[in-house]
Amino acid sequence: MYVKFFERGFIYAFLMTLICSIIGTLLGGLPYLSIIGALVISLILGMLFQVYRPAIEKAEVGIGFISNKFLRLGIILLGFKLNLVDLAHAGVKTILVAAVVVTGVIILTYNIARKLGVNKRLAILTASGTGICGAAAVMGVSPQIKVDKDQEHKKRNEEVLAVAIVAILGTVFTLIEISIKPLLHMSPSQFGVMAGGSLHEIAHAIATGGAGGPVSLDAAIITKLSRVLLLAPAALIIGIWYQHSEKKADDATKQKLPIPWFMAGFLAASVIGTFVPMTANVLDFLVKLAYLVLGMAMAALGMTVNFKAFVSSGKNAVLVALSSSVILLLFMIVVSKTFF
């Protein structure tokens, strides 16, 4: 997508999305709103901007650019949050659980969704957000789902819907897991593994793990980041599978392999953040910058959502994600108590 950075439309879009992201970051740091997370708050603020349609229309080209390119930049920067040494120390057991959760939940959620009549793209996005890492997974997998130009607006609506579903359910299950903690009779480590393995957003895992103390919090973060690490290979596999499944039988044209190059940047950032000497302040700044840029992309996405389509197409997708989330929680309770 070509855009001139100093043209008025881009500047309007940049300022509007930046405002949403900064406010989302500030609100996301408050005690109760931290469960929802800065990215989802930025998305909601972007949706509220639609009240003033003239501003959206003036900034339309810039909004499209930010929702696309800034998203990729934000995910690359998010790689600095992944410390590969810490993940290695977590052991094969944690990585294996993460792989089983990501694979199993994506396959389960997608198949249930299709049986309930949810369209293919929304089924994939909802499954990815539920199985991997919430909003970042939805937006990381979405570029792998190629559509014609006339379908792009519909796809953006599906992205917003998938993000909203995993955000709402993740918040609900955060409260549920904290509430049932006394009934589970788990050690702090077991409770943390359950939280990191079952909840959708990193913010959800941190909120729940923190309720169990420092040991629980560390276990929750490591288990959750083990799932985040699988975002890159999952995006690649989903892209190849989607392209193959969409290819018509009579289409003899060789299609381009959908390699998500920005995911290579994500992994490179993880390697740099792990092995290149940096102060904690620098790493902290890069992670905050990642969330600021992702917040701008989420706000831009919210500015383009079609509310009628959003409401009409989401009921079955919510039911599917709810079912998968219940199954995932039960699975992680059993796994945590048995193996950790």
Side-chain angles (χ1 to χ4, degrees), residues 303-324:
M303 291 174 187
T304 63
V305 67
N306 181 316
F307 288 101
K308 288 182 181 177
F310 180 83
V311 173
S312 64
S313 61
K315 295 174 186 175
N316 284 347
V318 171
L319 180 60
V320 169
L322 175 61
S323 302
S324 294

Side-chain angles (χ1 to χ4, degrees), residues 42-271:
S42 299
L43 173 70
I44 294 168
L45 292 172
M47 292 167 74
L48 292 176
F49 249 100
Q50 289 204 43
V51 172
Y52 188 56
R53 288 304 304 172
I56 300 294
E57 289 165 5
K58 285 180 184 176
E60 193 170 353
V61 175
I63 289 169
F65 180 88
I66 289 170
S67 67
N68 187 309
K69 304 302 182 185
F70 277 42
L71 163 69
R72 288 163 169 77
L73 174 61
I75 288 175
I76 289 171
L77 291 171
L78 196 60
F80 287 105
K81 192 177 181 73
L82 272 176
N83 188 297
L84 300 178
V85 172
D86 287 346
L87 290 179
H89 286 161
V92 176
K93 200 161 50 172
T94 303
I95 303 294
L96 183 60
V97 168
V100 170
V101 165
V102 169
T103 305
V105 171
I106 289 176
I107 292 172
L108 175 69
T109 307
Y110 175 79
N111 281 288
I112 295 175
R114 296 297 286 149
K115 287 184 184 302
L116 290 180
V118 177
N119 79 64
K120 193 172 186 177
R121 293 191 301 265
L122 181 56
I124 292 170
L125 295 175
T126 304
S128 301
T130 305
I132 309 173
C133 55
V138 172
M139 304 312 294
V141 169
S142 182
Q144 294 299 91
I145 302 173
K146 307 297 183 186
V147 297
D148 296 331
K149 281 195 173 181
D150 61 340
Q151 291 289 308
E152 284 181 356
H153 192 70
K154 188 175 180 183
K155 181 186 167 188
R156 283 197 292 270
N157 288 328
E158 290 160 353
E159 290 168 355
V160 174
L161 181 54
V163 167
I165 289 170
V166 295
I168 292 167
L169 288 179
T171 302
V172 169
F173 275 82
T174 295
L175 299 174
I176 289 172
E177 291 187 18
I178 292 173
S179 299
I180 65 173
K181 179 180 176 292
L183 306 175
L184 297 175
H185 304 292
M186 287 180 165
S187 69
S189 179
Q190 288 173 335
F191 185 72
V193 170
M194 180 203 72
S198 62
L199 292 168
H200 308 331
E201 297 278 356
I202 293 174
H204 297 147
I206 289 172
T208 305
V215 173
S216 176
L217 177 59
D218 288 345
I221 292 172
I222 290 297
T223 307
K224 185 64 201 173
L225 291 182
S226 297
R227 290 167 67 191
V228 174
L229 182 64
L230 297 173
L231 175 56
L236 176 60
I237 292 167
I238 289 169
I240 294 170
W241 168 81
Y242 184 81
Q243 177 184 273
H244 179 75
S245 65
E246 287 292 290
K247 195 185 295 183
K248 294 179 181 177
D250 59 348
D251 183 11
T253 307
K254 192 172 182 180
Q255 297 186 38
K256 202 174 176 182
L257 188 68
I259 299 173
W261 294 112
F262 66 97
M263 285 298 178
F266 170 82
L267 293 175
S270 301
V271 172

